[in-house]
Amino acid sequence: MTYVVIDACIRCKYTDCVEVCPVDCFYEGENFLVIHPDECIDCGVCEPECPVDAIKPDTEDPDGKWTELNAKYAATWPNITVRKDPPPDADDFVDVPDKLEKYFSEKPGTGD
Ligand code: SF4
Ligand code: F3S
């Protein structure tokens, strides 16, 4: 089992989650973070840290869509362990629907 980041994170990317992970298993894209499913120890401490409720246990991902996406990008994006400022317009994207289809970027972030 693992926790996964879902589309609510896209363009919000508050990064409060990365500070609490005991195994540093978050990876940074240009406008999204992912969790490496093979590194996550399922401790659950990151879940309540996200202000937009973008972290879920994979038990809430029955078809594996988010687990697959997290695994795919965790393999290539850089590791992030320290909180950084969110995008300046992050608050404008909190309740925006269809963020995966409209805004998801495959580009890597800068990591730390
Ligand atoms: Fe890290 Fe624990 Fe969150 Fe997994 S559940 S990403 S180990 S903080
Ligand atoms: Fe994204 Fe929430 Fe972390 S918005 S970067 S999952 S705190």
Side-chain angles (χ1 to χ4, degrees), residues 23-28 39 74 76-82 84 110-112:
V23 295
D24 295 339
C25 65
F26 282 90
Y27 293 81
E28 186 187 8
E39 296 176 1
T76 56
W77 287 353
N79 191 232
I80 175 170
T81 62
V82 179
K84 55 177 76 171
T110 53
D112 59 29

Side-chain angles (χ1 to χ4, degrees), residues 3-110:
Y3 279 70
V4 294
V5 186
I6 65 168
D7 54 349
C9 176
I10 296 169
R11 293 195 71 161
C12 288
K13 199 178 155 185
Y14 290 111
T15 68
D16 300 273
C17 53
V18 306
E19 293 271 353
V20 300
C21 180
V23 295
D24 295 339
C25 65
F26 282 90
Y27 293 81
E28 186 187 8
E30 182 181 36
N31 64 19
F32 184 54
L33 295 195
V34 291
I35 291 169
H36 196 310
D38 296 336
E39 296 176 1
C40 174
I41 59 171
D42 194 26
C43 70
V45 300
C46 58
E47 185 181 16
E49 294 298 318
C50 178
V52 293
D53 206 19
I55 300 175
K56 303 287 185 188
D58 68 357
T59 48
E60 295 183 30
D61 181 33
D63 64 2
K65 169 185 170 178
W66 295 107
T67 307
E68 192 176 311
L69 187 138
N70 276 242
K72 176 178 178 182
Y73 292 99
T76 56
W77 287 353
N79 191 232
I80 175 170
T81 62
V82 179
R83 188 183 181 282
K84 55 177 76 171
D85 287 339
D89 58 356
D91 294 348
D92 296 337
F93 286 89
V94 170
D95 291 318
V96 172
D98 304 324
K99 290 203 278 187
L100 183 65
E101 295 78 10
K102 289 180 181 168
Y103 300 117
F104 175 71
S105 169
E106 294 189 314
K107 292 180 186 164
T110 53

